[in-house]
Amino acid sequence: MRSIQNYYLIALSFVLLLAVTSCGEVSDKRVIKLAHGLDVTHPVHKAMVFMGERLEEKSGGKMSLDIYPSQQLGSERECLELLQIGSLGMTKVSTGVLENFAPQLKVFGLPFLFRDAEHRFEVLEGQIGEELLNSSVKQRLKGLTFYDAGSRSFYTKEPVQTPEDLKGLKLRVMESQTAINMVKNLGGSPTPIAWGELYTALQQGVVDGAENNLPSFYLSHHYEVCKYYIVDEHTALPDELLISTLIWDDLSDQEQKWVKEAAMESLEFEKKIWHEAEMEALAEIKKAGVEVIYPDKEPFRNRVKSMYEEFSENEEMKNLIEKIQAVKSN
């Protein structure tokens, strides 16, 4: 029995070594592997590259990131699972996927939760945001920062002006029960599909549309298949940058400080380039022949009110929603 335990400890140590050191000869330098599903042109990817540069500068070359974009090491869910066993150091996922690991994050999936972008930033960068970043620690997933991912809207092959127009449409959603419930409430047929498989699913008619922010719609080339972008802005799900607690706990206090500071600086960088990416995406999809529709949001809000009632049945979620709604914008 003791030999089996020793073997397990040796194997775990090897996994941790792979996750935090570069290939080749072991040195004092820590190289943390970071994998995600976005294209290299995406502003959030660029923010993580910026974080790596700042981490190397802050640490005097003692720490760096090795980034694997475009689902090279797996889907968002798979990357989270790799973090849990320590075979991957860091990842970036949508909080819609992360809610399966940290139920409190379901709150971000509530349609029309934030009054505006300013309100959203006050929540994410304040005490509530910090508490939510730590809500997945028991699952060996520590949040470092939220990245702005704008507002999510529907895009389809047919024009949509009202929730009635969504009836019968198969709409791709993330692996998120909250997103599934939202589409059901709006009359659509929710269909969970991995992001990397969505273009083909749209092309082949497996789904009739999807929902996401403008840069993702543009950079994924989904505008080549879906010629209608409906700006209902139903949710504003932030992205979250996470580190495995198996890796985090192995860092010194100074190393943790470098990582956290670099992450927060990358957030400020990302916010600036995100707005630019939204403007560029809007201009480019229009050039490509996409019709941008601005529907009356009130009918959409009315259709999802029952979701707030369901959430309020849970005392913890009810209190969280009230705390978020009470946050004042400057």
Side-chain angles (χ1 to χ4, degrees), residues 113-124 323-330:
L113 175 67
F114 299 111
R115 294 187 295 273
D116 49 35
E118 190 178 357
H119 178 216
R120 184 167 79 246
F121 291 136
E122 287 292 332
V123 172
L124 296 180
K323 282 168 62 178
I324 289 173
Q325 291 175 333
V327 171
K328 296 179 181 178
S329 306
N330 289 330

Side-chain angles (χ1 to χ4, degrees), residues 104-156:
Q104 278 182 294
L105 296 176
K106 288 180 181 178
V107 73
F108 290 134
L110 272 174
F112 309 106
L113 175 67
F114 299 111
R115 294 187 295 273
D116 49 35
E118 190 178 357
H119 178 216
R120 184 167 79 246
F121 291 136
E122 287 292 332
V123 172
L124 296 180
E125 296 172 30
Q127 183 181 347
I128 296 173
E130 195 61 35
E131 289 172 3
L132 290 173
L133 284 173
N134 288 315
S135 65
S136 56
V137 166
K138 289 182 179 178
Q139 301 299 320
R140 298 181 181 174
L141 305 166
K142 177 177 174 57
L144 291 172
T145 189
F146 290 111
Y147 285 131
D148 184 19
S151 296
R152 299 175 75 94
S153 293
F154 290 108
Y155 50 92
T156 56

Side-chain angles (χ1 to χ4, degrees), residues 5 9 14 17 35-36 51 59 76 168 202 221 230 239 243 256 266 268 275 312 323:
Q5 289 176 335
L9 289 172
F14 179 70
L17 186 65
H36 65 85
M51 177 189 170
S59 66
E76 288 193 322
L202 289 165
H221 292 269
I230 299 89
D239 282 338
I243 186 168
Q256 289 180 356
S266 74
E268 293 306 313
H275 178 68
S312 294
K323 282 168 62 178

Side-chain angles (χ1 to χ4, degrees), residues 291-309:
E291 182 180 342
V292 180
I293 299 172
Y294 295 87
D296 179 3
K297 295 180 184 179
E298 202 55 34
F300 290 85
R301 283 196 185 94
N302 290 335
R303 282 289 190 94
V304 297
K305 281 182 179 177
S306 61
M307 293 182 68
Y308 281 81
E309 295 167 8

